[in-house]
Amino acid sequence: MPGLSTLLHYKAAWLRHDVVAGLVLATMLVPVGIAYAEASGLPGICGLYATIVPLLVYAVFGPSRILVLGPDSALAAVILGIVLPLSGGDPQRAVILGGMMAVVSGTVLILAGLGRLGFVTELLSKPIRYGYMNGIALTVLISQLPKLFGFSIENMGPLRDLWAIGGAILSGKTNWAALSIGLGALTAILLLRGSKRVPGILVAVVGAAILVGMFNLAERHDVSILGSLPQGLPRFAIPWIGISDIVPVLIGGCAVAMVSFADTSVLSRAYAARTRTDVDPNQEMAGLGAANLVTGFFQGFPISSSSSRTPVAEAAGARTQLTGVVGALAIALLLMTAPDLLRNLPTSALAAVVIASAIGLFEVAELQRIYKIQQWEFWLSIVCFAGVAVLGAIPGIGLAIVIAIIEFLWDGWRPYSAVLGHPAGIEGYHDVTRYPEAHRIPGLVLFRWDAPLFFANAELFRERVLAAVAESPTPVRCVVVAAAPVTSVDVTAADALTELDDALLAREIELRFAELKDPVKDKLRRFGLFERFGEARLFPTIDAAVSRFHGTT
């Protein structure tokens, strides 16, 4: 419980900063929480419940001092993809589904944290992360366009929704009063986005609510509004779901767990570096999981860290987790004393809040940089983007995970290898394809393998060694494998080495190894290969192997 450690070492001088930052933060948390709940297919009040509870829980279990948790635009499309089709438009059922998704994601994150699996999100490369996040950003943006224009459509997937939106606009369904308010709110948010003194979201939503109330736009022009919020605090409730809902909720919960921790781990590391503190990724995963788990039992839905609200807390002077506690208590006080304060808030303004956040999710500059550096990774990102945009958030993220696994395995499956020679005037032995004039020792093949040896590449290793022997310009009497990059050997690879050695011995060619790491030697001993090769065929350096070859010829 890192929060208790912070409390024990709390300095009185921090109190004023944390209280002020918490109150400032609360002004942003309220409209954002409501907006993201609506974008996730749940009642707006759930967004406040999913703000209060995580802030309190994370203050105890979370390791980052100023990280702000709550509903997040990056999760909205994923949650909506599960909640909308399963709830059938029933708000209570939507709340239950959202709550169980939070329980699932929280459980997954806690178990992963206890299992010290905080490294798993590092398996998703930046191009893949950018791809699926750009796809999610587009999906979220499209989902909010009907609310911005003041009408509704049946959700059928991002691209078909876009087609339906275009048809609705052309058929004259646009509510111009709602659209004007929404565009005004969006403009205010975007113009004030860089300001640290003027909270653009607060200005936009308060201004929109005042306009609707002053001119009675809800009744006169049929502008959809939030309405009164339930008074009081969230109640404990177990989110029981039906048997038919289990599989999609499990899939959705795991998906949001992955997305939320991927974002949280990056943001956590960034602020740890800025505040010169250490953050354990496994504790971060457990803290995020605890916040999600408890939120699911208090009518909330999956949450994550926020890259837009955390800077607000920092700019307001936050010092510790007490900032989040003060923000949560301020929202709780609002629900208990003034639940009608935002009743005139138009849904088009809430849509503007979500759209502005979705715009901020797009990674365009980074993709341009990747395109210039390595085009195949750029197109990999585009495939992930298209997967989310065409298939939807859940299948799209699944596609991104599959591509990540393939990308991860490909480097080991089809690794680089080289025949080495000695270039004039350069120390050491180098790839003859890069140094065509390099001297190759007659009768000796120096072969380097740039990967672990395992089941997926063992046969390829054997084939490439035999090909190097066949392509040698002189008759070969010895092959030396430069094995420094070989970090591991499995049973399949060990058997392939035996087969290779037999094939070479049949041609009166001896197989030797240079620079084998001790852990790899230990595995060879267990596999019975150490006795086969013996110390006579294992050398500490390539030079030693070459010297032995010269000494025996």
Side-chain angles (χ1 to χ4, degrees), residues 186-537:
L186 180 60
T187 302
I189 294 169
L190 294 178
L191 288 177
L192 296 173
R193 171 170 280 177
S195 174
K196 293 185 177 180
R197 294 182 177 274
V198 183
I201 292 177
L202 184 64
V203 169
V205 297
V206 170
I210 291 173
L211 280 175
V212 170
M214 283 180 59
F215 298 101
N216 197 20
L217 298 179
E219 294 185 8
R220 293 173 59 186
H221 294 283
D222 198 27
V223 173
S224 177
I225 60 174
L226 178 65
S228 298
L229 296 174
Q231 188 171 23
L233 300 178
R235 298 185 305 275
F236 177 85
I238 298 175
W240 296 110
I241 59 174
I243 295 176
S244 60
D245 300 331
I246 292 176
V247 173
V249 168
L250 283 174
I251 294 172
C254 291
V256 295
M258 185 201 73
V259 175
S260 63
F261 183 66
D263 288 349
T264 300
S265 62
V266 171
L267 193 63
S268 174
R269 288 198 301 267
Y271 277 94
R274 290 170 66 167
T275 58
R276 297 180 181 180
T277 57
D278 293 324
V279 173
D280 180 357
N282 299 297
Q283 179 65 49
E284 190 69 78
M285 187 176 273
L288 179 62
N292 268 284
L293 179 64
V294 179
T295 300
F297 290 113
F298 286 90
Q299 302 162 63
F301 54 93
I303 54 89
S304 179
S305 63
S306 171
S307 58
S308 60
R309 281 156 284 171
T310 302
V312 170
E314 182 191 34
R319 295 290 189 272
T320 69
Q321 296 95 322
L322 184 61
T323 295
V325 174
V326 172
L329 294 177
I331 298 171
L333 185 64
L334 170 71
L335 290 178
M336 293 176 67
T337 59
D340 289 338
L341 190 63
L342 297 175
R343 68 177 306 273
N344 288 321
L345 182 59
T347 55
S348 60
L350 292 174
V353 172
V354 180
I355 289 172
S357 179
I359 292 172
L361 289 177
F362 284 105
E363 293 284 357
V364 178
E366 282 297 311
L367 284 182
Q368 290 175 337
R369 183 177 71 89
I370 292 170
Y371 182 81
K372 293 176 183 177
I373 297 172
Q374 190 152 257
Q375 290 191 11
W376 74 266
E377 287 201 277
F378 168 81
W379 291 114
L380 188 67
S381 183
I382 295 301
V383 169
C384 291
F385 166 75
V388 177
V390 174
L391 303 175
I394 299 293
I397 290 173
L399 176 64
I401 293 172
V402 170
I403 291 175
I405 293 171
I406 293 173
E407 182 191 21
F408 174 70
L409 290 176
W410 184 258
D411 288 337
W413 191 6
R414 292 293 182 267
Y416 190 79
S417 62
V419 174
L420 308 181
H422 181 57
I426 301 177
E427 289 189 9
Y429 298 88
H430 302 276
D431 187 350
V432 295
T433 60
R434 292 182 174 270
Y435 299 90
E437 304 303 321
H439 173 64
R440 297 174 65 174
I441 302 167
L444 176 65
V445 170
L446 293 175
F447 180 83
R448 191 185 71 217
W449 181 255
D450 293 345
L453 261 176
F454 67 112
F455 64 91
N457 63 27
E459 182 61 25
L460 181 67
F461 171 79
R462 190 179 72 86
E463 291 173 1
R464 287 188 182 175
V465 171
L466 293 176
V469 170
E471 294 166 5
S472 174
T474 60
V476 178
R477 296 190 302 277
C478 180
V479 174
V480 174
V481 178
V486 178
T487 56
S488 181
V489 176
D490 68 3
V491 173
T492 305
D495 290 344
L497 286 176
T498 301
E499 294 171 9
L500 175 62
D501 191 39
D502 289 338
L504 292 175
L505 288 175
R507 304 182 193 184
E508 298 184 348
I509 300 172
E510 189 172 54
L511 178 63
R512 300 175 180 176
F513 296 88
E515 302 178 340
L516 265 179
K517 293 176 168 53
D518 287 337
V520 178
K521 289 181 181 179
D522 293 340
K523 286 194 173 185
L524 293 181
R525 284 191 180 90
R526 290 203 303 271
F527 298 152
L529 290 183
F530 201 81
E531 292 77 9
R532 179 187 182 98
F533 293 114
E535 291 287 355
R537 290 205 265 169

